[in-house]
Amino acid sequence: GNSVTQMEGPVTLSEEAFLTINCTYTATGYPSLFWYVQYPGEGLQLLLKATKADDKGSNKGFEATYRKETTSFHLEKGSVQVSDSAVYFCALRRSGGGADGLTFGKGTHLIIQP
Amino acid sequence: GAVVSQHPSWVICKSGTSVKIECRSLDFQATTMFWYRQFPKQSLMLMATSNEGSKATYEQGVEKDKFLINHASLTLSTLTVTSAHPEDSSFYICSARRGAGVGPGSYEQYFGPGTRLTVT
């Protein structure tokens, strides 16, 4: 079956540091890949997505590239801010399934210190 | 925007009682809604998929008679936890998907803020 593995947290960084949160997946076919962010007290929000190999999703300074050869979708940001503190979830939706539910990783709690 | 609300945000009930959780899409029509369950420090686990006007599709291992789902309109889905027990205590999250072909964001899932259920 489908699965998503992401690095466990918490990840603590200083402001303006470089961020990488690793995410790898197991799936048949060509899934769509997502990063969601959950700020304290709020619901999950889509951060970025990629729907095919070599696609790069980007938003708010965050980027992730769909790497089929390594089955990875690592999240990166060049310079983090305190406001980026949140829980980040990597997720996939199986190919051809617009109506399918998502398979999530366990989430990575990111803490940015001033 | 695409806002999804859940009600209540938290609920405490006694063992053996039933609890209903509502999920509403406030500014769009959702042909499909999903229900997830999240344990502490665990990922969200898909419980079921509901399509407006039809029976929900449950994931393997999820008891359909325990977790009743009704998607009676394009803006409302409900999850009823019947005869709740302490092991049903969890964080329940819904998401709603726009209808196909409706502008940017079609097929994207928009998540509610979640409902914390505690069964005593």
Side-chain angles (χ1 to χ4, degrees):
Chain A
N2 298 336
S3 67
V4 175
T5 302
Q6 61 182 104
M7 59 192 297
E8 297 195 17
V11 173
T12 303
L13 296 173
S14 297
E15 202 165 21
E16 299 184 3
F18 184 87
L19 168 72
T20 300
I21 301 178
N22 291 336
C23 171
T24 57
Y25 68 89
T26 302
T28 56
Y30 301 91
S32 295
L33 302 174
F34 305 82
W35 276 101
Y36 282 84
V37 58
Q38 185 175 31
Y39 298 104
E42 299 183 14
L44 275 75
Q45 301 173 25
L46 178 64
L47 180 60
L48 53 83
K49 68 175 181 179
T51 58
K52 61 183 187 294
D54 299 326
D55 266 2
K56 177 186 285 188
S58 61
N59 185 25
K60 299 181 180 180
F62 290 89
E63 293 182 340
T65 301
Y66 189 142
R67 301 287 189 199
K68 187 167 176 59
E69 63 276 14
T70 54
T71 61
S72 65
F73 193 54
H74 304 323
L75 182 68
E76 297 182 336
K77 186 174 185 181
S79 177
V80 292
Q81 305 300 313
V82 172
S83 57
D84 294 326
S85 299
V87 181
Y88 293 81
F89 291 90
C90 185
L92 70 81
R93 185 180 66 214
R94 64 184 183 188
S95 56
D100 281 356
L102 299 172
T103 300
F104 284 89
K106 290 186 177 182
T108 302
H109 186 192
L110 176 64
I111 301 170
I112 307 300
Q113 296 177 334
Chain B
V3 180
V4 176
S5 70
Q6 283 184 240
H7 178 79
S9 56
W10 60 270
V11 57
I12 301 173
C13 71
K14 292 186 177 180
S15 186
T17 61
S18 295
V19 175
K20 179 184 286 188
I21 302 170
E22 294 185 347
C23 176
R24 293 181 184 273
S25 56
L26 298 184
D27 51 2
F28 67 99
Q29 293 186 328
T31 55
T32 304
M33 288 185 172
F34 304 88
W35 286 95
Y36 296 84
R37 182 173 179 178
Q38 184 180 27
F39 293 100
K41 299 186 178 181
Q42 299 292 319
S43 64
L44 284 74
M45 301 297 295
L46 179 65
M47 298 174 65
T49 302
S50 74
N51 292 293
E52 186 264 338
S54 62
K55 288 184 178 180
T57 302
Y58 290 81
E59 295 299 300
Q60 190 174 7
V62 178
E63 300 175 61
K64 61 181 180 182
D65 295 330
K66 173 82 172 169
F67 299 99
L68 300 179
I69 292 172
N70 185 303
H71 193 162
S73 77
L74 286 172
T75 59
L76 173 64
S77 176
T78 59
L79 168 68
T80 301
V81 183
T82 62
S83 187
H85 290 284
E87 58 265 30
D88 298 324
S89 299
S90 192
F91 195 56
Y92 293 88
I93 302 172
C94 75
S95 70
R97 185 182 73 93
R98 288 179 188 268
V102 182
S106 300
Y107 289 114
E108 296 309 327
Q109 293 185 34
Y110 299 93
F111 286 80
T115 297
R116 172 74 60 192
L117 170 63
T118 302
V119 185
T120 60

